[in-house]
Amino acid sequence: MEILTMYGRGAYQGIAEGEALVCRESIQGWAGVSDTTGEIIEKGHAEEGKNINGKILVLPCSKGSNGWSCHFHSAMISGFKPAGWIFSKMDSRAGVATVVIGSPAVTDIVSADPCDVIETGDWIKINGFEGIVEVYKREK
């Protein structure tokens, strides 16, 4: 199994691991994630119908209004939250969501854009203390 180690900046402390859910286009806040099921419901989104629960969400950034984090928070209250986050670039909406959810996050990967290197289904370990991402490439 190929293992790729990437280095960035720890944006929220903690260690998490899980299956990657890569969204090359971010998820919109309003009508993007179901508050009651944790499913991506944004119409036409490439990952529409997939669930965020227990996944390492790999996103370029947030998308939409300042209420972006509220929908992830509501989903968390219903029992659905990502295990961790990897952002190409951290913006204020993503930062708030990370803190509100309390899942580890890494951003500003120096070697490559994580949305280009990581694939949905890869197993990911993130270290939000040190900004390290280990990618265990899935077998094809």
Side-chain angles (χ1 to χ4, degrees), residues 19-101:
E19 184 179 328
L21 176 54
V22 180
C23 299
R24 286 175 174 72
E25 290 183 28
S26 191
I27 305 164
Q28 71 180 11
W30 183 258
V33 174
S34 169
D35 295 349
T36 57
T37 67
E39 196 172 280
I40 297 172
I41 57 172
E42 180 178 345
K43 296 296 179 202
H45 192 281
E47 305 304 325
E48 183 179 0
K50 294 189 178 166
N51 201 294
I52 65 168
N53 194 47
K55 302 290 193 244
I56 303 294
L57 278 184
V58 183
L59 302 164
C61 58
S62 66
K63 176 174 141 184
S65 72
N66 288 334
W68 193 76
S69 61
C70 295
H71 296 282
F72 286 96
H73 181 255
S74 294
M76 180 186 78
I77 289 171
S78 296
F80 304 96
K81 75 173 200 166
W85 311 80
I86 300 171
F87 292 102
S88 299
K89 292 290 179 195
M90 179 71 73
D91 58 24
S92 60
R93 292 175 298 257
V96 171
T98 299
V99 171
V100 167
I101 300 300

Side-chain angles (χ1 to χ4, degrees), residues 115-128:
C115 291
D116 293 337
V117 175
I118 301 171
E119 299 174 86
T120 295
D122 289 346
W123 191 259
I124 307 293
K125 292 183 181 180
I126 64 173
N127 181 330

